[in-house]
Amino acid sequence: MAEVTFIGLGNMGLPMAMNLLKSGHSVTGFDLAEDQVKTLTDAGGKSTNDINHTIQNSDVVITMLPSGKIVRSVYLGDEGLIENAPDNLLLIDSSTIDVETARDVSKAAEQKNLRIVDAPVSGGVGGAQAGTLTFMVGGEKKAFDNAKEYLDIMGGNIIYAGLSGNGQAAKICNNMLLGISMIGTAEAFNLAENLGLDAQTFFDISSTASGQCWSMTSYCPVPGPVPSSPANNNYKPGFSSALMLKDLRLSQEAASMTTSSTPLGANATSIYEEIENLGQDSIDFSGVIKLLQNKLK
Ligand code: NAD
């Protein structure tokens, strides 16, 4: 069994680390928040205050961090993982970050002959707990093959996306589409209701017609048609509007960097910015329907 170092034990990282622990690996966790680390150590994991010492005896480091800036600070520089890693260390970054940072970090690792993948996830906290996340993985194929045995424990669907940064590219494009499709679905339900068509009837028709999409059939933004959707639980996330906005902003950075035209992505970003400006971005992203209904104050 492997020695795993896990950095970033938040809403996603903690259950992911717990699944590695349950599968028999030895897991050492590190987070700025001590209570998160305690949950891991109470379950049989280990903690560290000296990452660069710990990694000398690790087989793999997995990071699950909030932003590209933090990923840079953890991986790069004299005190970073790459400078201090032993030769055989495998690096897996599962944070959702910008493609440029993912590629810069990978380049630095590969210059030291370290294996590294960017492996962002889809599936949310529920998927992290159940070990059913989808991983979109960029990096050298050999690094992917080595990372897969760990990703298989935390996920149900592990997809190789090509070279470094391609995992992040897939994640950002998928979530831009998700944001757009959720707004479209919310607009359709809101208009249907205003035209006198009840939500269940519209769902029964559209979910079997050409308007069908995941935002409707798995995550319907109105209460009723899909019992498991956050709409039935007062829009408690799920996937918060704040995280959706983070990913939409990443999509717009990427669009501007590559001069790609994404007018709907830009529009979706400003709609979720309205939710942020109202101080309501902790609600699930399907709560965008409440913005359309003028019910977010
Ligand atoms: P979170 O804020 O709950 O957790 C992040 C953790 O990182 C926190 O516990 C924080 O203390 C820790 N941290 C911050 N800086 C650190 C540092 N320098 N060293 C060690 N620990 C540090 O966030 P989350 O919801 O777990 O998300 C993590 C990543 O996964 C993000 O990039 C997010 O976009 C992505 N993601 C989240 C979801 C979701 O539903 N929550 C879904 C898919 C992807």
Side-chain angles (χ1 to χ4, degrees):
M1 282 295 160
E3 285 290 335
V4 181
T5 299
F6 206 113
I7 304 176
L9 300 168
N11 293 327
M12 296 291 290
L14 183 60
M16 290 163 73
M18 292 289 233
N19 282 332
L20 290 164
L21 194 61
K22 275 185 223 145
S23 75
H25 289 301
S26 165
V27 182
T28 303
F30 177 76
D31 196 291
L32 304 178
E34 280 174 18
D35 50 342
Q36 299 293 101
V37 180
K38 186 169 183 306
T39 309
L40 183 74
T41 52
D42 285 351
K46 293 182 275 185
S47 66
T48 176
N49 285 320
D50 187 348
I51 288 283
N52 288 338
H53 176 73
T54 302
I55 61 174
Q56 302 313 314
N57 298 312
S58 297
D59 299 297
V60 54
V61 175
I62 301 170
T63 49
M64 193 54 171
L65 295 161
S67 69
K69 197 171 161 212
I70 295 174
V71 167
R72 276 183 193 273
S73 74
V74 167
Y75 278 87
L76 303 178
D78 288 349
E79 291 305 307
L81 289 171
I82 291 172
E83 187 57 37
N84 295 285
D87 288 349
N88 279 330
L89 192 64
L90 171 66
L91 302 165
I92 300 176
D93 179 35
S94 283
S95 325
T96 300
I97 59 167
D98 58 288
V99 175
E100 199 181 1
T101 297
R103 289 190 175 145
D104 287 350
V105 168
S106 294
K107 199 168 155 202
E110 282 158 7
Q111 275 166 356
K112 285 204 71 190
N113 286 323
L114 294 168
R115 295 159 299 152
I116 183 165
V117 291
D118 52 289
V121 303
S122 166
V125 176
Q129 286 165 342
T132 56
L133 292 168
T134 291
F135 283 88
M136 303 154 230
V137 191
E140 298 284 351
K141 184 67 171 47
K142 178 169 165 258
F144 169 76
D145 291 341
N146 294 158
K148 194 168 177 301
E149 70 167 287
Y150 303 102
L151 303 181
D152 274 334
I153 295 164
M154 301 180 285
N157 203 7
I158 320 298
I159 305 165
Y160 184 56
L163 292 182
S164 300
N166 283 11
Q168 298 296 349
K171 167 78 186 178
I172 290 167
C173 293
N174 180 71
N175 278 22
M176 181 179 79
L177 179 57
L178 175 62
I180 294 168
S181 82
M182 180 53 79
I183 296 168
T185 304
E187 287 186 5
F189 273 95
N190 191 39
L191 178 60
E193 191 186 329
N194 290 341
L195 291 169
L197 186 58
D198 75 82
Q200 187 64 53
T201 307
F202 176 60
F203 177 87
D204 291 343
I205 294 165
S206 194
S207 65
T208 54
S210 48
Q212 182 271 336
C213 64
W214 186 91
S215 293
M216 177 182 290
T217 55
S218 294
Y219 216 86
C220 193
V222 293
V226 177
S228 60
S229 79
N232 300 288
N233 194 15
N234 206 19
Y235 299 94
K236 187 168 171 273
F239 188 60
S240 71
S241 297
L243 282 173
M244 175 49 80
L245 179 57
K246 172 192 166 180
D247 293 353
L248 285 167
R249 282 178 170 146
L250 288 173
S251 79
Q252 293 311 287
E253 261 177 51
S256 125
M257 200 174 74
T258 54
T259 56
S260 308
S261 173
T262 58
L264 290 181
N267 224 326
T269 308
S270 55
I271 289 171
Y272 279 98
E273 271 166 358
E274 275 184 62
I275 298 181
E276 180 187 58
N277 291 339
L278 290 166
Q280 298 279 4
D281 58 348
S282 60
I283 63 164
D284 187 78
F285 81 109
S286 60
V288 70
I289 195 164
K290 292 177 69 173
L291 183 78
L292 301 176
Q293 294 165 336
N294 221 4
K295 287 183 184 161
L296 278 188
K297 305 275 182 232

